[in-house]
Amino acid sequence: MSFIGSQWFIPMLGHHLKGVRFPGVAYIHHARHNSRLYNLEQFLDHNLPHRPVFVCLKPRDDTPPLVKYDILPYSFCSQFLPKGAVDPLLYGKQIPAPDLNTYL
């Protein structure tokens, strides 16, 4: 998340992430209703309705809880889904392994 926290990231590299919606100019884990910065929850709110979202790092300990989402592990990454979108007991049977190349 350190790269997307830089103000140069979105203008220089954001166009390579087709369909990803950035709700501000830079990510910061504790952003609160700032029109220029965004946090993980705001990023998820902008992208989950349109595409799968995978995060490949552990959120910081002081990151506000993400109670609106289910977090499903995929190796060292996690997929975020709207709360209740998947039955955790059937998770391995319901969700096929993603082809991450289709999201680049």
Side-chain angles (χ1 to χ4, degrees):
M1 298 294 253
S2 61
F3 284 127
I4 67 171
S6 301
Q7 290 192 9
W8 58 262
F9 178 82
I10 295 171
M12 293 184 70
L13 299 175
H15 64 279
H16 292 292
L17 303 171
K18 304 265 189 263
V20 174
R21 298 176 180 190
F22 296 98
V25 297
Y27 166 84
I28 187 165
H29 77 281
H30 61 276
R32 296 271 187 237
H33 306 294
N34 181 317
S35 62
R36 297 187 47 80
L37 304 175
Y38 62 92
N39 61 26
L40 182 56
E41 183 175 16
Q42 293 164 329
F43 181 81
L44 293 170
D45 288 345
H46 275 77
N47 287 283
L48 271 179
H50 312 286
R51 62 183 301 118
V53 176
F54 291 84
V55 175
C56 298
L57 64 100
K58 180 180 178 255
R60 291 172 46 137
D61 291 338
D62 58 345
T63 300
L66 299 169
V67 297
K68 299 188 315 188
Y69 309 101
D70 287 328
I71 303 171
L72 306 174
Y74 276 95
S75 186
F76 65 90
C77 296
S78 296
Q79 181 179 13
F80 284 76
L81 295 168
K83 183 68 85 181
V86 66
D87 181 348
L89 298 175
L90 301 174
Y91 166 63
K93 295 177 182 174
Q94 286 181 324
I95 307 294
D99 177 6
L100 296 179
N101 291 322
T102 62
Y103 303 117
L104 298 178

